[in-house]
Every structure is written in structure tokens, then in C-alpha cells.
Amino acid sequence: KLFNVNCKLPPYLLDGGCREGCGSVDKALDKELTMPTTVIQHVLSRLRDIGIADVFGVPGDYAFPVNDAICNNPQMRWIGCCNELNAAYAADGYARIKGVGAICTTYGVGELSAINGIAGAFAEHLPVFHLVGTPNVATQGSRVLMHHTLGNGEYDFFRRMTEPVVCAYAVLTPQNVAAETERLIAAALYHRRPVYLAIPADHANHPVVSAAQPTPTPRSDPEFLAAATDAILAALDQARTACILPGILIARAGLQAELRAVIDASGLPFATMFMDKSVLDEQHPNYVGMYDGALMEEGVRAFVESCDRVIEIGTLLTDFNTGAFTAKLDPATTIAIMHHRVQVGGKVYSSVELGDVLRELARRLPKRDWKKLPASSLGNVVGAGSDPITAAALYPRWEQFLRPNDVLVAETGTASMGLGFARMPAGATFHNQTLWGAIGWATPAAFGAGVAAPHYRVVLVTGDGSHQLTAQEVSQFGRLGLRPVIFVLNNSGYLIERLLCKDPAIAYNDIAPWRYTELPHALGCNGWFTARVTTCGELDQALETAANTGNGAYIEVVTDRDEASPLAVKLHESFRRLYQS
């Protein structure tokens, strides 16, 4: 059912990311190139080699040659979205599952609509390839005033606007497309960030006139790798207690198997921070729970912060990851293993790759009986019958609703904060835009995840305010025959904003009252189960039906306006103090 543990992509890659069918980006990069006929055919062929089978987007006249090539390529699928921002979010969700994603927009009006989603992919370390169809080279050179421009004869503005949120860019020509495509693939996979490919309309269908060899996978400097590994082993040898904090870069780089090997070989326990939830299976016996500084799970906090050594592996110490900066991790006792460097005791070892370090540690770490804690969950279900749906009643029910291998997409805000401390079943993954935090991300991201993992159940939990930004993308689930379970938490507005702002009753936190359960039918999702629930009894019945339906399910869960999960309440208290300081 799952791929070989040596694969570099997640197990959801069911159609094979490389020609050998193992799902490995790295193996695809090392294969000999065959040169297709045209510029855009070459680009699409290389994207297919690294695991991209679907391109999200909105068509436009400057991008027609690219749009046509995608639709006419038997190995690729064009997936039109309701707008470019949603397409970027869908590519983000797709990349979380397959390791890479792609979006295609037209020049100016299209690419600028997508830029917020591209920025989110940059912040969250997702390699998304942004294909932009631009005006003809001759048109640009003549500075003629064309539609979708600013009317000043300048044609480089929009690419320059994108530069801060991509790690590399190129304007492709028949002469440079082979080399530049390899450079952009290498940059996207090395940094795990988006890249920008401008394809002039008159160049897209021109023959490729030069070839390039695939860029080799980065490898560590052997001397530096040995020194870094020796330093980590020496530090752990002197420690009586230690634990691992695995981070999101483990998932982005597809190194879950390598990290599991380290934990199994060493016996080290591990906890995860909010952005990093479920990067490793939470049913693993060495999992001790969620570490969120001083805000939640006091037992986990005490355990992590009491360890002689804490090994951060691909973690980012952001505000939400550190419990509003309440985490107390001593730099002197912290080992940081990042994507391309290691830091031990204040000394930095560069030119070392994360995967290589993990493989060395799995090979060399001795097995020890490290202290562990039993992992907790959200507890027992409370409330029944006509009882109102409180946070204490809702989140344990959602935890019990999840099943192995589910793909859970939780919207930024109170819903994700409540589910962040649910213990995920075996193989299930939790996805949240923790760092970028754009409301509206989750609905199209869940769609992208569903496209990438059609054989797994996608569960979307979103708030009513967030859902109103991008709800039209629900139509795409129905159009492609996908069967998600969607929960819309209706608390009459922006609850997380009410918790953070000075006046919770202020008008800007109110939203229009929608009839949410009518949306699936109106958007073409035929035969879906829909329900609006206001009591625990109604919720229990809806959960049972949703679990057994053979189609999609869409459930509006109505709570009191101020009903918030415990983490949301504590963040409210912490951030209010932070903002007032």
C-alpha cells in the first residue's frame, strides 16, 4: 500500500513520482534527460519527472500556449480553480502531500492574484512551481501598451514583485530552458520553496535548442558530516536525559523514514510543536505529546525543558510553535539539525545535508533506555442529547472521528488550535498553515490534498469566517468526484480575532449569516450528505452518518459565539500581554 521506505516523497504519491515508480524526486533527478520538442513540453516533462501530475490554475490569453500544452499532455492534468488565489492554495495543499506542486497563471492580473498563496508556500517551505504566461518578447521589447499591464510600457514589474517570495526565477527561452529548468528544480528542492517560471507566449511552442544534464542531488562534505555526527554523538553520550523535537522540514524533505530509523535505533523519545504536528506517526511508542511552551501540556513542557539535551531536527521557533515564545530551550544544551547545517554547543557545521546526518545517526547511535512519557489525548466525550455543543464536547468527538491514514486539514484559527492536541491515528496527518496563517487557506488546500491523495479520506475543518473567503472551491471536489468530509464551525464570525482584539464585539469581527448546508448542492456536489447541528445529539448522529456515507459530507457545527478551545483562550491571554507590552 505504501512506498518503499527509501522514497523521498510521502506515501500518498500513488502514481509514482519517477519513471521507476518509487516516488523519489532524487532518483528522478539523476535520470538521463530526453529532450522534448518545445519549451513548454520540456518544462512539463521535467515537472512530471519529479512527481507533478496536476497543475492548478486559471487560464488567460498570455498563458494559452501553456494552458494548451498542459491539457494536451497525456501525463498531466489541468485543474481549473475558481480564482488564482485558490489555485495557489490548492498547489500548496498538493505539495504537502506529494512533496511538490504547480500552478499556472497569466501575466499581471493572474499572477498577482496568486502571490499571497505563493508567499504562504514560501513561509511554509513548500516547493511550488509557478508557471506564468507572459506577453510576446517582441511586444515587451517594443514597450507597447497592452492589457494586463500598468500602461507604462514596463513588463518586468510583476516578476520583481514576486522575487521576495520565491527562491529562484527565470524567463525561459529556447536557448536556456533546459539549463534553467534544472536550476529551478534544484533550487526548489534544495530550499523547499517556490520558484517562478516566466514563459513568453511566443517562446512556449518554439523548439528547445540546447540540452542540459539533470542537477545532481546535494551531498554532504564527508569531513564536515563526520565532524557534525561526532559532535552530536559526544553531546548525547554525556546526557542522562534527551529528546527530539522533529520539525516540519522532515516532512517537506520526505525524511520521515530516516528519522524513524534514528528513533528506533536510539530509543530517544520525541515531542512535536504545533507547526510540526504529525511529521512522525503519533502512535509511535516513543511519542510523548505536543510541546507548546508554557501554554499547554504541562507534563510535556516539564519533560522537554528538563532534558540534558534537546535535539531540534528541522524545527522553526516561531511564535505559535513556541507557545507565544513561552518555550524555554537553553541554546547551550540544544542541538539543531537543520536542512543544510548542524549546530552543537555554539559551533556550526555547514555543508551537511539533513538526510545524510539522519542516516549517519541511525547507523552510529547506541540504543539506550531513555526516559519517556505516555502521550495524552483530548480525553473522553462529554455532553449528549440536547446539550449545546461546547469546545469540551466538540474536539474529543472530532478526535474520535478520525481514522488511520486520514488527511486532516485544519484552518488557521480556533478550529486548528482545538485539534492540535488531538492524538492522530496511525498514518494520519495534520496540516495547518501555522506560520503564514492566511484565513481561507484550508478549503482550497484540502482540495489540492484531495487531488494528490484520492485514495485517502480528506477531512477539512474550517471556521465560518475563513470559509467565506474561498468556499467556492468546494465545487471542485464535486467536479472531480472527490469525497471529503467538511466541517464548518459556525461561531458567527472571526472568533480568533475576537480573542485577540481589544473589543470582541467590534463590527469588523462580524460576517454575513450564510445558509452553509445549501452550498454543496448549489456548487454541484450532488448526493452529498449535509447537516446543520446545534446539539451534541445531532452532532453524534451526523458524525455517524458522515463516517459511513459513500459520498462527500458537509456538516455545519453551530456553537456559541465565544466558545473557544483551551489553546485559543491561552493564546488570547498571552498575545494580549505581548501586544500590550
Side-chain angles (χ1 to χ4, degrees), residues 2-81:
L2 302 182
F3 279 101
N4 181 320
V5 294
N6 294 318
C7 289
K8 303 302 178 189
L9 290 183
Y12 305 105
L13 184 51
L14 301 175
D15 58 354
C18 74
R19 292 167 186 166
E20 295 174 354
C22 72
S24 170
V25 167
D26 293 336
K27 288 185 179 180
L29 282 176
D30 291 334
K31 292 187 68 66
E32 182 181 354
L33 279 178
T34 58
M35 192 167 61
T37 307
T38 68
V39 168
I40 185 55
Q41 286 174 354
H42 180 87
V43 171
L44 296 179
S45 175
R46 293 299 291 129
L47 294 184
R48 188 66 184 85
D49 282 341
I50 64 169
I52 296 172
D54 306 277
V55 181
F56 301 90
V58 176
D61 55 353
Y62 295 132
F64 281 164
V66 181
N67 304 152
D68 292 343
I70 296 168
C71 290
N72 293 327
N73 187 319
Q75 292 188 310
M76 303 290 283
R77 179 169 55 162
W78 168 266
I79 298 183
C81 294

Side-chain angles (χ1 to χ4, degrees), residues 39-351:
V39 168
I40 185 55
Q41 286 174 354
H42 180 87
V43 171
L44 296 179
S45 175
R46 293 299 291 129
L47 294 184
R48 188 66 184 85
D49 282 341
I50 64 169
I52 296 172
D54 306 277
V55 181
F56 301 90
V58 176
D61 55 353
Y62 295 132
F64 281 164
V66 181
N67 304 152
D68 292 343
I70 296 168
C71 290
N72 293 327
N73 187 319
Q75 292 188 310
M76 303 290 283
R77 179 169 55 162
W78 168 266
I79 298 183
C81 294
C82 296
N83 59 57
E84 292 89 353
L85 176 60
N86 289 1
Y89 287 154
D92 170 311
Y94 187 94
R96 289 168 188 263
I97 303 302
K98 282 207 171 186
V100 283
I103 173 178
C104 177
T105 65
T106 196
Y107 172 80
V109 293
E111 59 184 305
L112 293 190
S113 291
I115 197 170
N116 182 39
I118 298 298
F122 186 94
E124 304 267 330
H125 288 270
L126 292 161
V128 171
F129 290 78
H130 188 182
L131 282 61
V132 179
T134 70
N136 292 347
V137 172
T139 298
Q140 296 185 47
S142 67
R143 297 173 59 88
V144 65
L145 305 187
M146 296 289 292
H147 63 284
H148 299 340
T149 73
L150 299 179
N152 57 6
E154 295 289 337
Y155 283 87
D156 202 32
F157 274 151
F158 306 129
R159 181 196 58 75
R160 286 158 49 198
M161 289 180 183
T162 304
E163 280 186 32
V165 295
V166 298
C167 67
Y169 66 86
V171 178
L172 300 182
T173 69
Q175 293 77 23
N176 73 12
V177 62
E180 289 288 72
T181 300
E182 296 312 308
R183 180 177 68 85
L184 295 185
I185 289 174
L189 297 181
Y190 183 80
H191 298 289
R192 302 287 160 176
R193 308 261 200 195
V195 293
Y196 178 102
L197 299 82
I199 307 171
D202 56 340
H203 280 176
N205 290 319
H206 277 202
V208 175
V209 297
S210 61
Q213 291 300 311
T215 305
T217 302
R219 302 296 181 198
S220 301
D221 180 289
E223 183 178 342
F224 291 170
L225 176 61
T229 307
D230 288 344
I232 295 169
L233 291 172
L236 288 175
D237 186 56
Q238 298 170 9
R240 293 169 303 153
T241 57
C243 72
I244 292 175
L245 292 177
I248 196 65
L249 291 178
I250 292 292
R252 299 295 188 257
L255 293 171
Q256 294 95 326
E258 285 80 353
L259 183 53
R260 278 196 302 271
V262 171
I263 290 169
D264 292 341
S266 66
L268 282 162
F270 69 95
T272 51
M273 293 190 283
F274 199 81
M275 188 177 187
D276 316 313
K277 181 176 176 61
S278 78
V279 296
L280 285 183
D281 196 326
E282 294 185 358
Q283 296 299 317
H284 194 288
N286 291 37
Y287 178 62
V288 300
M290 292 286 290
Y291 173 55
D292 200 32
L295 296 188
M296 298 284 291
E297 301 288 346
E298 172 57 24
V300 178
R301 182 207 63 77
F303 172 74
V304 171
E305 294 179 6
S306 70
C307 284
D308 295 335
R309 290 288 178 180
V310 176
I311 311 170
E312 300 170 2
I313 306 181
T315 53
L316 303 175
L317 300 181
T318 68
D319 52 356
F320 282 115
N321 252 11
T322 59
F325 301 115
T326 61
K328 304 299 181 185
L329 298 173
D330 184 355
T333 59
T334 299
I335 298 169
I337 306 174
M338 298 305 289
H339 206 174
H340 309 296
R341 62 178 174 84
V342 169
Q343 183 170 342
V344 184
K347 184 172 182 179
V348 175
Y349 301 85
S350 58
S351 300

Side-chain angles (χ1 to χ4, degrees), residues 459-535:
V459 179
L460 165 64
V461 179
T462 182
D464 53 349
S466 299
H467 195 47
Q468 287 196 8
L469 271 73
T470 54
Q472 65 271 62
E473 222 60 36
V474 169
S475 63
Q476 309 298 347
F477 286 105
R479 184 161 71 103
L480 295 187
L482 301 175
R483 299 185 294 274
V485 178
I486 299 174
F487 295 98
V488 179
L489 181 57
N490 184 350
N491 46 31
S492 301
Y494 300 124
L495 177 54
I496 191 62
E497 305 291 352
R498 297 189 198 280
L499 293 171
L500 295 178
C501 71
K502 291 182 179 180
D503 179 8
I506 199 165
Y508 58 66
N509 289 323
D510 298 332
I511 61 174
W514 286 15
R515 296 184 179 92
Y516 291 98
T517 54
E518 296 181 19
L519 288 178
H521 177 72
L523 295 174
C525 300
N526 298 322
W528 279 26
F529 165 68
T530 63
R532 184 178 190 270
V533 299
T534 60
T535 67

